[in-house]
Amino acid sequence: MGKSIILPHVRYIDNGDRKGMMFHSQVVSSQGRCYTLGCDKMDVSGLCAGHKMSRREFLERYCGVEPETGTHKE
Ligand SMILES: [Zn+2]
């Protein structure tokens, strides 16, 4: 509880609140600009501005964890 989760392409920052923030972390640059892969909410510099999301939602979406069984998809 209350821990951040770091994955190769996304990370989850848990502030101890009920809702944490998910950030895309794969940044690429193209023609002098940068943008974040898979992100639809970038700030002016092209970095992920963060997405409000519950920890459970993050785990289900990015870790393939189903909380009831603990199994994961390949
Ligand atoms: Zn994003």
Side-chain angles (χ1 to χ4, degrees):
M1 303 296 281
K3 286 198 300 184
S4 299
I5 304 166
I6 312 294
L7 295 179
H9 58 305
V10 288
R11 63 185 195 273
Y12 184 76
I13 307 300
D14 191 331
N15 296 316
D17 246 334
R18 190 176 288 181
K19 284 275 185 179
M21 295 285 279
M22 182 275 278
F23 295 88
H24 292 97
S25 55
Q26 279 189 315
V27 178
V28 297
S29 58
S30 171
Q31 299 174 354
R33 292 184 56 94
C34 71
Y35 61 96
T36 307
L37 293 179
C39 186
D40 58 359
K41 194 179 173 188
M42 289 173 274
D43 64 17
V44 289
S45 60
L47 299 174
C48 180
H51 308 260
K52 244 184 166 39
M53 181 179 293
S54 73
R55 184 186 183 87
R56 177 183 173 135
E57 199 176 344
F58 178 89
L59 289 173
E60 289 179 358
R61 190 174 300 185
Y62 296 104
C63 301
V65 173
E66 294 175 28
E68 297 302 317
T69 62
T71 58
H72 67 282
K73 302 187 271 282
E74 293 298 334

